[in-house]
Amino acid sequence: MTETYHPRRSVLYVPASNDKALAKIAQLSCDAVIIDLEDASSPADKIAARGKLAKIFADADRRCEMIVRINALSSEWGADDLLAAASCDPDGILLPKVDTPRDLLEAGDMLDDNFAPDSVKLWAMIETPKALLNIGAIAELGRDPASRLDCFVAGTNDLVKDTGVLATPDRRYLVPWLMQMVLAARAGGLDMLDGVANDFRDLDAFARECTEAAAMGFDGKTLIHPAQIEAANRAFVPTAQAVAEARAVKDAFSLAENAGKAVIALNGRMVERLHLTQAEKLLAKAAAIAA
């Protein structure tokens, strides 16, 4: 692994306008926070919320990743949000209402034109029917470092609203779309975060949703309340058995007799180089979480 792995098990939305919530960020055990300029701010408050970004980042401990969700670039606030966010040197900027690759390319061009460092990545909300229809082409940008695309975030609430699909507790009607997102993210080499659970009081139901999301292949979950952090962190951490198996794969390929081999036998099963890549990523994730 040539890049530092950033676990994203628990990613908490924090309204830019909520001073009390912002003050607690340093004490939270989430892997990342998203400073929200979009849904968390009314139209009348959006400019004021944007104006707080510089102080938020100046005061931040930065012990976890810090992302800014801006308003859509097609809105009257989006372009100014993007430039204000970039000036704070965040770990990423989350773009809502991404419909096509062009939405990301335009944002990337703006960042390049304003000399934002390459470390400022782009995250994309997948929350519209059009995004799902174009998701393969959008994800393909993840293979081009110049695009800055680093992560997909499922916007399940907006998908429910825009499609009229029934939002059942088991999310049975959303699962096909969620799996489509995971598949596209993997094709593009991107992280994939599950959408929020709206009832933050029902932590048992939330824990089940996290477990199911981990089984579907998601890297983590977006959260709306600090009470959800512990369950998300627990659900998306590699198990001790998985870590042991990954270490065995890595150790086996490290043996002199296996140097250069594409396929080896390990404990009675065939293991390929692709399994080594998976093992290295899992071990990096476990190490990053432990640290």
Side-chain angles (χ1 to χ4, degrees):
M1 302 287 291
T2 58
E3 296 183 2
T4 301
Y5 182 84
H6 297 288
R8 291 163 178 163
R9 301 164 298 166
S10 52
V11 181
L12 178 69
Y13 286 105
V14 180
S17 56
N18 189 329
D19 293 336
K20 184 177 179 181
L22 291 167
K24 295 180 180 178
I25 290 176
Q27 285 76 49
L28 299 177
S29 58
C30 53
D31 290 331
V33 294
I34 298 174
I35 308 301
D36 192 11
L37 301 178
E38 192 209 15
D39 287 347
S41 298
S42 67
D45 294 332
K46 288 186 182 295
I47 295 177
R50 181 200 306 145
K52 296 176 65 175
L53 282 180
K55 186 175 189 306
I56 290 170
F57 277 82
D59 294 345
D61 194 337
R62 299 296 289 266
R63 288 189 295 176
C64 66
E65 282 193 292
M66 291 188 65
I67 315 301
V68 179
R69 178 163 71 169
I70 66 172
N71 288 281
L73 287 181
S74 59
S75 72
E76 62 184 281
W77 308 283
D80 288 337
D81 283 354
L82 181 69
L83 297 181
S87 70
C88 297
D89 194 24
D91 296 290
I93 297 173
L94 176 56
L95 304 180
K97 306 299 186 289
V98 171
D99 284 333
T100 70
R102 174 52 53 190
D103 296 323
L104 285 156
L105 292 172
E106 289 178 355
D109 287 346
M110 289 180 63
L111 293 176
D112 292 343
D113 291 345
N114 287 274
F115 307 105
D118 293 342
S119 58
V120 178
K121 303 300 183 182
L122 289 174
W123 292 21
M125 294 290 302
I126 306 300
E127 57 183 345
T128 68
K130 195 169 184 180
L132 281 171
L133 291 176
N134 294 317
I135 195 166
I138 296 171
E140 189 63 25
L141 293 177
R143 295 296 178 184
D144 179 6
S147 77
R148 300 176 182 259
L149 182 58
D150 191 49
C151 185
F152 277 169
V153 179
T156 45
N157 283 337
D158 279 82
L159 280 172
V160 167
K161 174 179 66 70
D162 289 350
T163 62
V165 69
L166 182 63
T168 60
D170 62 2
R171 303 200 294 178
R172 69 182 71 179
Y173 302 115
L174 283 171
V175 165
W177 298 337
L178 294 172
M179 293 303 301
Q180 186 179 357
M181 293 181 202
V182 172
L183 187 65
R186 296 299 171 251
L190 305 168
D191 275 358
M192 182 73 239
L193 304 181
D194 193 11
V196 300
N198 297 317
D199 187 355
F200 59 84
R201 294 166 298 183
D202 191 345
L203 293 180
D204 289 337
F206 176 76
R208 287 193 297 273
E209 198 166 291
C210 287
T211 300
E212 291 166 358
M216 284 190 280
F218 284 90
D219 295 289
K221 193 164 181 65
T222 47
L223 319 176
I224 60 172
H225 195 279
Q228 298 173 320
I229 295 173
E230 181 181 354
N233 284 347
R234 186 168 59 248
F236 293 98
V237 69
T239 65
Q241 180 179 349
V243 171
E245 291 174 352
R247 193 170 303 283
V249 170
K250 183 177 181 180
D251 290 345
F253 273 104
S254 298
L255 295 175
E257 61 264 32
N258 293 327
K261 289 185 179 180
V263 182
I264 63 174
L266 178 63
N267 298 326
R269 65 186 182 97
M270 181 186 72
V271 180
E272 302 178 59
R273 286 277 167 181
L274 65 89
H275 297 116
L276 174 60
T277 300
Q278 293 171 337
E280 288 175 335
K281 182 173 182 179
L282 188 144
L283 291 171
K285 180 177 183 177
I289 292 169

